């Protein structure tokens, strides 16, 4: 396959995979990063097109070259570097520019259950909500396997 850089330079603009909220607002750090990529690659920060991506399809869009770069909320994991599960392909990641973690909130007794990864006895009613197709979801499936 042709290198993405070659395709972008020939096309004359970068296809930036961004979340709908960023596209609708027309501002934010991920859009700023997209403009910075366009400036470096093409010499013009306005040489980009924002493409809407969702958590469940963003790597497929990158794999299919519907976008040139994903910006925002893509956790860098070894799995995604070697063989991302929805595409079977490996992807290259930039140096991380945002760090986050997982925390629990709600009723104190259930927060303690979650932090200790206990879901039996007094902790049986524990409910944890996360977005599907995310690394947080994957972690919870491992930490709290279903019966």
């Amino acid at each position: 396959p042709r290198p993405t850089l070659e395709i972008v330079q020939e096309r004359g603009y970068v296809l930036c995979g961004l979340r709908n909220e960023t596209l609708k607002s027309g501002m934010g750090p991920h859009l700023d990063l997209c403009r910075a990529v366009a400036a470096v690659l093409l010499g013009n920060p306005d040489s980009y097109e924002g493409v809407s991506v969702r958590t469940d399809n963003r790597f497929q869009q990158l794999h299919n070259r519907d976008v040139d770069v994903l910006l925002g909320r893509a956790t860098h994991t070894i799995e995604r570097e070697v063989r991302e599960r929805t595409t079977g392909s490996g992807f290259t990641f930039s140096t991380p520019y945002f760090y986050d973690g997982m925390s629990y909130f709600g009723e104190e007794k259930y927060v303690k259950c979650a932090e200790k990864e206990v879901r039996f006895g007094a902790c049986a009613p524990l409910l944890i909500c996360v977005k599907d197709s995310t690394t947080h979801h994957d972690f919870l499936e491992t930490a709290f396997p279903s019966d």
Side-chain angles (χ1 to χ4, degrees):
R2 286 177 59 203
T4 302
L5 178 59
E6 185 180 301
I7 294 169
V8 168
Q9 289 174 329
E10 184 178 292
R11 184 190 316 122
Y13 59 94
V14 181
L15 296 172
C16 294
L18 299 161
R19 296 175 64 116
N20 273 331
E21 306 89 76
T22 300
L23 292 172
K24 286 178 184 175
S25 71
M27 60 186 190
H30 300 119
L31 188 57
D32 292 342
L33 188 54
C34 175
R35 293 173 51 80
V37 169
V40 168
L41 298 182
L42 302 165
N44 180 352
D46 295 322
S47 294
Y48 73 90
E49 180 180 312
V51 178
S52 176
V53 296
R54 297 185 324 261
T55 302
D56 64 341
N57 75 350
R58 60 192 168 170
F59 286 102
Q60 191 66 47
Q61 285 181 275
L62 184 61
H63 178 74
N64 293 342
R65 295 190 175 220
D66 298 330
V67 297
D68 301 315
V69 62
L70 290 176
L71 298 168
R73 299 184 185 163
T75 306
H76 182 174
T77 66
I78 295 297
E79 176 191 32
R80 288 177 174 168
E81 228 179 86
V82 176
R83 188 175 184 276
E84 191 274 331
R85 74 178 137 170
T86 65
T87 63
S89 295
F91 295 95
T92 302
F93 287 77
S94 69
T95 300
Y97 58 92
F98 180 79
Y99 293 88
D100 72 349
M102 189 161 194
S103 60
Y104 304 101
F105 64 94
E107 288 187 43
E108 187 175 347
K109 69 179 180 177
Y110 294 124
V111 169
K112 288 179 181 177
C113 292
E115 288 172 344
K116 293 177 182 176
E117 297 181 9
V118 175
R119 58 180 213 103
F120 53 85
C123 296
L126 172 67
L127 295 175
I128 301 174
C129 302
V130 316
K131 188 162 179 67
D132 197 16
S133 302
T134 64
T135 53
H136 298 300
H137 182 265
D138 295 345
F139 169 77
L140 287 175
E141 281 188 328
T142 302
F144 300 93
S146 60
D147 297 327

